[in-house]
Amino acid sequence: MAAILCENCSGQYHYTQLNQPLEMSCMLLLIMLGKVFLDFFMLQVKQKNVKVSFMGYFCVSLALVDFTLLMSIFFIFYFEDFALWGVRFTKYHICLFTQIISLTYGILHYPVYLAAGLDYYMTIAQTSTFPKRGQRLLYVFAVVVIWISGFFCILKVPAIYEELEIQNHFSPYQCPLYASVQNYSVSCAMLLLVGMALLACRREVLTMLLSVRVASFASHPVLMFSYVSNNNGTCFKWQLLTRLLICFLGTWAPFVLLQITILFVGARIPAYVEMNVPWLYFINSFLIAVAYWCRCHDVELTEEVWSTDPFVSWKFCFMPFNNENTEPADKPGTVIVIC
């Protein structure tokens, strides 16, 4: 039986079908188990001494929602048919819950990225004078509002809710999994911006890459780049763009290549998979780099400003690196930067 699509979706979601309820349930359980492990692994390995941010709180909330979905799928899969608080749960609820989560995740990309971008643009250039407790409460409130709004939009739209009910009632052996167009458009836009920036700074990037050296700093191997220091207006922003690109791609190049591959082959990843903590931290670093570049002349050179990104160190994009244990730059009049 073919899956029924709501008329009001307007092509916002694409879907694939999974046959056989047992195989579908097992696959969803295994996928969510891997995703939850990856979410909590990223939260564990990230740097701990970073400033609080909206994106940080949203990543934690996403990991908790994923864990809740995993537990729900596990209990339904294990007990198969049971009643809880007067509600009967069967295996078709595994697909129903996953569809609701997928639809909700699919409409949250724009508001989450917009909120995170505004947060960094307003706070990244200076040390915050806002009380940290009040700032945390504000972030928690914003995260809760976004989640409630997302679930409300999905569950209270009659066409979508009725379509899910009819579909799962008459097609218990099929489970359409939706892929968000929002995330697809964000991937295209981000790759386009990175590509344009690389094209504009291709000479500077090539020069810096040719000057790369491997050195030891604080018992860790680091990459050192030589560049001519220039703090005058447009030239400074142009050099800064090159350093930001190298720092960003030096950390997230595998993700960039993965996005290029996905777009090239036209793969449609289900929305409940494509919104994950590693992806959000990838977007987070991109938003931080954009905020640094837009407000580079307002950045205060303090340690609190540098402790913004859990995975990328942006400090030496603004400050030359000076260390007595390192060799001088190859050419006079140059300084060394670590990315």
Side-chain angles (χ1 to χ4, degrees), residues 1-4 15 17 167 171 174:
M1 186 175 187
I4 304 173
Y15 69 95
Q17 293 183 357
Q167 177 180 283
S171 304
Q174 296 178 348

Side-chain angles (χ1 to χ4, degrees), residues 21-22 24-26 28-30 69-83 89-94 97:
L22 183 60
M24 176 268 296
S25 301
C26 289
L28 290 178
L29 181 62
L30 292 176
L69 177 61
L70 173 63
M71 290 294 99
S72 301
I73 293 176
F74 173 77
F75 280 110
I76 296 174
F77 179 80
Y78 183 78
F79 293 104
E80 294 188 356
D81 189 349
F82 66 96
F89 292 92
T90 59
K91 283 194 173 181
Y92 102 91
H93 285 91
I94 294 178
F97 291 160

